[in-house]
Each structure stands twice: as structure tokens, then as C-alpha cells.
């Protein structure tokens, strides 16, 4: 097939998946393929079905949330038009390489039912945006590995190479259970978000929330029941006014923004090696494969 145009749909709460989607787009464009980056929250907001016939290859990317994908991503998949055997690749970003399989097959099934022929799936590990802040040298190393993995991935996609992730029983059970927990966890998380007295009603969180879950009421910022657990409002409030009444242990205390680290040439990506021991030992295998 002669490939003319590639469309990459993605959701990104705090920027990791956006960075990876951009890496894919840049790689395809460097190879002279016309490529469009399509943030799904904008498409959902406009409530118009995207024109899939414009594209010869489609990509879909999402962050992993509790072994699964965020609700907003599944909502988007549910609204996709049917197509006829459209060549499709998927990618997901997660804070840990253990997230192989799992949500990938849920997403593949949703797409396959509508005629999207998924032939290439990738896991790109990025820093976790919850609980623990990764060391700067690990953040840099994960980014550098992501660049290499995406480069290899785009080559494989253009060659039509099949790369489907395998699911073992453990992952199937984990994904099923965590997927259920994710959807109830998201509404619970959203319900207990609060804006403190530090809030100056600048309106940024209201404008930025991907699900329009935040609004102003009687000179207060309030949160509704449509939260997709993306953490964007918590990390991006300029006043640091947003927290969660019961689940604040999930929030990285110093905030989450990796662009400074990625763009700082003084930070070396050398955290993991074959000598690494302890929790991050299993990252070495992921990092050596590209
Ligand atoms: C609610 C929530 C649940 C998460 N669950 C997982 C998980 O199960 N496994 C994992 O490896 N990372 C998990 N993460 C980390 C993210 O997948 C990871 O940081 C991702 O790259 C964030 O992408 P984004 O910046 O595009 O939103 C979770 C993050 C959030 C906010
Ligand atoms: S971004 Fe922060 S300061 Fe601005 S309205 Fe929202 S909570 Fe208030
Ligand atoms: S309320 Fe905050 S965490 Fe929930 S979807 Fe909106 S921006 Fe994301």
C-alpha cells in the first residue's frame, strides 16, 4: 500500500503521552510522511467524528491508569466510526515496564470491533506521575530510551511488521480487577478534589480540564463527577491550590513536570545499568531492548 497520510490520536494527562506522540509524529515526518497529531480531548469537545478516510495509517496512544486506560480514552474509542480494515498501531506510556499486555488487549479489542486492524503495539515507559518522583537521571534515561524505541517502532510500522503484545493470565486478571478499580477510583478521586484558599480564581484549571469537570460556583472552584484521574489540575495550578482530601498520597509533593529535566543537557541519563539492584532492577531489560 502506498502510504500518504498518518493520523495519531492521543490522550495525555500530564504530558508524557504527548511527548511520545510527538516523537512518533517527528519520526514519520522525518521520513517525509504527512502526519497529523490529534489530541482526543479536543475532538470529544467538538463532538464531531474524525474523518478516518483521510488517513492510511492510524495511531492511538494513552497513559496507563491502574493497568488500564483512562475512561476518557475508552469514551473516545466508543465514539469512533467503523472503518474497513484500517492499518492501526497503538502505544501506551506507563511508569513501569511491568505494564506489558493488560490494557493493550482491551484497547485492541475495542478497536478491532470497529474494523481497525491493530498490527503494532508498544509500551513506552515514562516517569510515573503519581506517588514517587523518579530521580532526574532516570527521567532523562527513560526519555532517551523512548526516543530509540519510537524510532524503531516507526520503522517497523512503515514496514508493516506485526508486533502484538502478549497477555499472560496474571495480567488478564490484574487488568480486569484494576480496570474496575480505575473507573470507581476516578470518580472517587474527582469527588474529593478541593481548591484551597490559595486559589485566586484564575480559571486555568477550568479551561485545562479534559473532561470539563471543574467549574466556578459562588466565587469557588468546584469539581464534578466526570474526573478521568489525569492529575493535570493538581500539578498545573499556578498557586498549588488543588489537593485531594483523601488521596493526596498519590500526588508527587514537588509537582510533576519533566520538560526541564529532558531539556537540561547537564543531566545525564545513567541511572539504570546491568549492575542496578533493588526495585528498578527490572527496568534494565526494558531499556536494553530496542
Ligand atoms: C490514576 C493513575 C494510575 C496510574 N497507574 C499506573 C499503573 O498501573 N502502572 C504504571 O506503570 N503507571 C501508572 N501510572 C503512571 C502513568 O501511566 C505514567 O506516568 C504515564 O506516562 C502518564 O502519562 P501522561 O503524562 O500522558 O498522563 C498511573 C498514573 C495515574 C495518574
Ligand atoms: S488553577 Fe488554581 S488558582 Fe487557578 S482557578 Fe484553578 S485552583 Fe484556582
Ligand atoms: S478534575 Fe483534574 S484530575 Fe480530574 S479530569 Fe479534570 S484535570 Fe484531570
Amino acid at each position: 500500500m502506498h502510504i500518504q497520510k498518518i493520523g495519531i490520536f492521543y490522550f495525555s494527562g500530564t504530558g508524557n503521552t504527548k511527548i511520545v506522540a510527538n516523537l512518533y509524529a517527528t519520526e514519520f515526518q522525518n521520513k517525509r510522511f504527512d502526519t497529523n497529531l490529534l489530541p482526543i480531548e479536543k475532538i470529544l469537545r467538538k463532538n464531531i467524528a474524525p474523518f478516518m478516510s483521510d488517513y492510511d495509517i492510524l495511531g492511538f496512544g494513552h497513559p496507563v491508569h491502574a493497568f488500564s486506560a483512562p475512561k476518557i480514552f475508552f469514551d473516545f474509542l466508543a465514539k469512533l466510526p467503523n472503518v474497513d480494515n484500517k492499518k492501526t498501531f497503538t502505544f501506551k506510556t506507563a511508569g513501569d515496564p511491568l505494564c506489558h499486555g493488560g490494557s493493550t488487549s482491551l484497547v485492541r479489542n475495542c478497536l478491532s470491533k470497529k474494523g481497525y486492524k491493530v498490527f503494532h503495539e508498544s509500551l513506552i515507559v515514562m516517569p510515573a506521575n503519581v506517588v514517587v518522583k523518579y530521580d532526574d537521571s532516570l527521567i532523562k534515561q527513560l526519555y532517551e530510551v523512548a526516543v530509540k524505541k519510537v524510532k524503531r517502532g516507526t520503522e517497523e510500522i512503515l514496514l508493516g511488521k506485526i508486533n502484538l503484545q502478549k497477555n499472560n493470565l496474571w495480567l488478564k486478571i490484574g487488568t480486569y480487577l484494576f480496570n474496575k478499580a480505575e473507573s470507581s477510583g476516578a470518580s472517587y478521586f474527582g469527588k474529593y478534589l478541593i481548591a484551597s484558599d490559595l486559589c485566586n480564581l484564575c480559571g486555568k484549571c477550568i479551561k485545562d480540564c479534559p473532561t470539563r469537570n471543574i467549574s466556578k460556583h459562588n466565587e469557588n472552584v468546584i469539581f464534578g463527577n466526570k474526573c478521568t484521574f489525569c492529575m493535570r489540575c493538581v500539578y498545573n495550578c499556578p498557586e498549588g491550590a488543588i489537593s485531594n482530601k483523601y488521596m493526596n498520597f498519590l500526588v508527587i509533593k514537588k509537582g510533576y513536570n519533566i520538560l526541564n529535566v529532558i531539556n537540561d543537557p547537564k543531566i545525564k541519563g545513567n541511572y539504570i545499568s546491568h549492575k542496578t539492584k533493588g526495585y528498578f532492577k527490572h527496568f534494565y531489560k526494558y531499556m536494553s531492548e530496542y
Side-chain angles (χ1 to χ4, degrees), residues 229-255:
F229 218 157
C230 75
M231 308 295 285
R232 190 185 296 171
C233 58
V234 181
Y235 292 131
N236 290 1
C237 167
E239 306 302 323
I242 302 179
S243 62
N244 193 284
K245 211 168 160 188
Y246 298 115
M247 295 169 86
N248 228 31
F249 63 91
L250 288 173
V251 178
I252 297 173
K253 297 295 166 270
K254 288 188 177 163

Side-chain angles (χ1 to χ4, degrees), residues 189 193 209-211 213-214 223 226-234:
F189 184 79
L193 281 168
C209 173
T211 57
N213 189 45
I214 313 177
F223 300 84
K226 292 184 298 184
C227 180
T228 198
F229 218 157
C230 75
M231 308 295 285
R232 190 185 296 171
C233 58
V234 181

Side-chain angles (χ1 to χ4, degrees), residues 195-196 198-206 214 221 223 233 236-242:
S196 72
L198 294 171
C199 170
N200 60 14
L201 295 174
C202 73
K204 180 172 168 48
C205 56
I206 299 170
I214 313 177
V221 161
F223 300 84
C233 58
N236 290 1
C237 167
E239 306 302 323
I242 302 179

